[in-house]
Amino acid sequence: EQTFLSSLFFVLVHAFKKKKRVIKVVLIKNEDMSPTHSICFANNKGGAGKTFMAYQLACEAARAKPDSKILVVDFSIYSDISALLMGGSSRDGFGRPMKGLQVAVDAVDPDERADALVRDLELAALRKKLRREDEEASSYGSVAAPAQQHRSIFGAYFTPSPGRIEQMKKKQEEEEIVDLTKYAAQPGKYNENVPKNLYLIAGCGQESWSLEHTQDIVMDDGSGQQDIPLWARTGDEWFPAAKEMEKAILSLPKEFDTVFVDTDHLSACVLTKLALASVKSVVVPLSFDDVDFNRLFQDVTKNALFQDVMIDMDIKNQLKARVKKMVFTRVDKTANKPTSTPRGIHSPFTPTKTTQAQMDDMAQQMWAACEHSEYIKSLFSGIEDLKPEGGSLTQTFVRKYFSTFKLVPDLAANISKMNGVPLCVMTGDTYTAASGLSGKSDAGSLTALKVELQYECQSILDDTFNAPVTAS
């Protein structure tokens, strides 16, 4: 019995029937039974490689562990990862939609997209709120107040009508955990290059996050009321939906081994916060630009991922995700030989001496920031358990939290993005995009990229993602 109870936690749902309290118990899996990995990709610097990395790692994870299922959630208002997975980013003319995004719009039911998921997460949280209000009124022998307008921080589409709220109050609906599989499409049905065991909760760009969907949040700036864009909204009204998202992830069927969530460079956006509050880990892609690095801590737009978003969430007990890896992207090489920098950043290839020095310097700055601020230090997963290696705690920190993602040659990167062909399955054949552009990559270089991609996947996830790499 103790073993059973230790593997479950209880959510008590109180209902009142004929003036007698009935207690209903909903069993929810604890984290030991949840997906092994739940990771979001975040950085408030656009172009750092978040979406490209998430796309490649998700496909590699699915390829490397074919008996499991990989879920990708698109919480970016641009919906780029949905476009890449559903067929690519190429366009057949100026002003035309990306091929993959159009496929997503045509193939995915509007009630099964990422925006519908957010709507239903909010409704699940609202049901709980209404039930608590009803319980409180019943306990005092009073009548619950009539339904009032509930304004969603996400916008008009997400805001239920008073009639819908009244219906929810009357039905006294039992607590239900949102089933993420109901929103999960299989990109492999539309894009043969994507592994069939990869699933996507797709965003559809303007179709999902248009002004029509997200308007109706207003503020008084002294000159009258005006709409506030989704990405600029403040307040914590998003948090109940995040708790429902966390619960939904924990309740995924056991075959879902890993959940990846893509976010925007708009780190303070409520969608990014929703991700950071519901997954276990965050991967932070990094460029070599020191100015970009400092934006993690200082950003005039108040989007600094660490200072403005994660620390603020942590202080409010809203943050679940902790930094698992900071990954230097677009790292150039001199050889395909594995190496470690003087500070301990390991790579499955050999970066240039200048690049190694830049990486070490930025990693050292990160450690200095942790020593300077307990708030920053607390953002890193397991940092309190670090032990000095070779007498240096700095080197232990660098080795644990920093890794590299090799610069993908322009041709291979463009083929991968425009045609929706992840590197893990790309061959030396010629690929032609919807725009008419065509090209092919060297088979030997592709094989080396695949090996390095597998290493990075294992570095971020674990060694079970080990299906042999096939030559290109």
Side-chain angles (χ1 to χ4, degrees), residues 349-382:
F349 53 89
T350 305
T352 66
K353 294 293 185 182
T354 300
T355 296
Q356 291 187 46
Q358 287 177 302
M359 293 193 298
D360 277 349
D361 179 67
M362 292 173 70
Q364 174 63 37
Q365 288 186 56
M366 191 71 254
W367 173 244
C370 290
E371 289 188 306
H372 175 75
S373 170
E374 285 295 323
Y375 290 115
I376 294 174
K377 188 175 181 180
S378 68
L379 300 181
F380 287 80
S381 173

Side-chain angles (χ1 to χ4, degrees), residues 34 64 86 132 137 147 154 196 219 242 251 270 304-305 385 456:
S34 67
M86 295 293 280
R132 286 195 302 269
F154 293 96
K196 296 297 189 290
M219 67 181 291
S251 301
V270 288
L305 177 63
D385 299 324
E456 189 61 36

Side-chain angles (χ1 to χ4, degrees), residues 231-245:
W231 56 89
R233 292 171 193 165
T234 58
D236 299 323
E237 293 88 348
W238 56 271
F239 187 58
K243 296 305 292 181
E244 296 302 316
M245 181 66 179

Side-chain angles (χ1 to χ4, degrees), residues 59 135 247 251 290-291 350 394 419-420:
C59 291
E135 290 171 12
K247 201 181 305 176
S251 301
D290 195 62
V291 173
T350 305
T394 304
N419 291 75

Side-chain angles (χ1 to χ4, degrees), residues 24-46:
K24 297 194 176 186
V25 179
V26 180
L27 301 180
I28 303 172
K29 298 182 295 182
N30 76 356
E31 295 194 21
D32 292 335
M33 299 177 66
S34 67
T36 307
H37 308 282
S38 58
I39 299 171
C40 72
F41 294 77
N43 190 325
N44 54 292
K45 171 62 177 68

Side-chain angles (χ1 to χ4, degrees), residues 158-362:
F158 307 87
T159 300
S161 67
R164 175 75 172 105
I165 296 175
E166 193 63 47
Q167 183 184 39
M168 291 166 63
K169 288 170 66 68
K170 289 179 179 178
K171 287 182 68 177
Q172 281 295 312
E173 298 174 3
E174 295 184 9
E175 179 176 350
E176 292 184 359
I177 299 170
V178 175
D179 181 3
L180 295 180
T181 64
K182 291 170 59 176
Y183 308 85
Q186 281 184 279
K189 290 183 177 180
Y190 313 97
N191 178 6
E192 64 180 6
N193 300 299
V194 173
K196 296 297 189 290
N197 58 326
L198 187 147
Y199 293 77
L200 169 69
I201 299 179
C204 292
Q206 286 292 320
E207 293 286 329
S208 292
W209 309 111
S210 65
L211 181 60
E212 181 182 358
H213 268 46
T214 62
Q215 66 182 352
D216 200 31
I217 302 297
V218 295
M219 67 181 291
D220 188 351
D221 64 353
S223 61
Q225 291 187 326
Q226 64 180 29
D227 288 334
I228 304 172
L230 176 64
W231 56 89
R233 292 171 193 165
T234 58
D236 299 323
E237 293 88 348
W238 56 271
F239 187 58
K243 296 305 292 181
E244 296 302 316
M245 181 66 179
E246 178 187 16
K247 201 181 305 176
I249 292 173
L250 295 178
S251 301
L252 277 167
K254 63 181 180 180
E255 59 265 25
F256 281 89
D257 182 274
T258 302
V259 177
F260 292 105
V261 185
D262 190 33
T263 68
D264 287 320
H265 66 281
L266 303 161
S267 296
C269 178
V270 288
L271 280 173
T272 301
K273 290 179 178 178
L274 198 158
L276 290 167
S278 59
V279 301
K280 298 176 187 175
S281 306
V282 57
V283 169
V284 183
L286 296 171
S287 71
F288 294 113
D289 192 313
D290 195 62
V291 173
D292 293 346
F293 177 75
N294 286 326
R295 283 185 186 168
L296 291 170
F297 310 97
Q298 294 180 326
D299 189 331
V300 69
T301 65
K302 296 299 181 183
N303 273 283
L305 177 63
F306 285 177
Q307 189 65 45
D308 297 327
V309 180
M310 293 181 70
I311 288 177
D312 182 65
M313 289 175 63
D314 205 17
I315 291 172
K316 296 176 181 177
N317 292 318
Q318 296 171 340
L319 183 69
K320 179 177 182 179
R322 305 288 160 174
V323 177
K324 187 168 190 179
K325 286 288 182 184
M326 302 189 75
V327 185
F328 290 103
T329 61
R330 302 185 180 92
V331 179
D332 206 357
K333 68 175 181 67
T334 58
N336 288 326
K337 179 182 177 182
T339 189
S340 292
T341 68
R343 288 285 185 188
I345 303 173
H346 187 74
S347 300
F349 53 89
T350 305
T352 66
K353 294 293 185 182
T354 300
T355 296
Q356 291 187 46
Q358 287 177 302
M359 293 193 298
D360 277 349
D361 179 67
M362 292 173 70

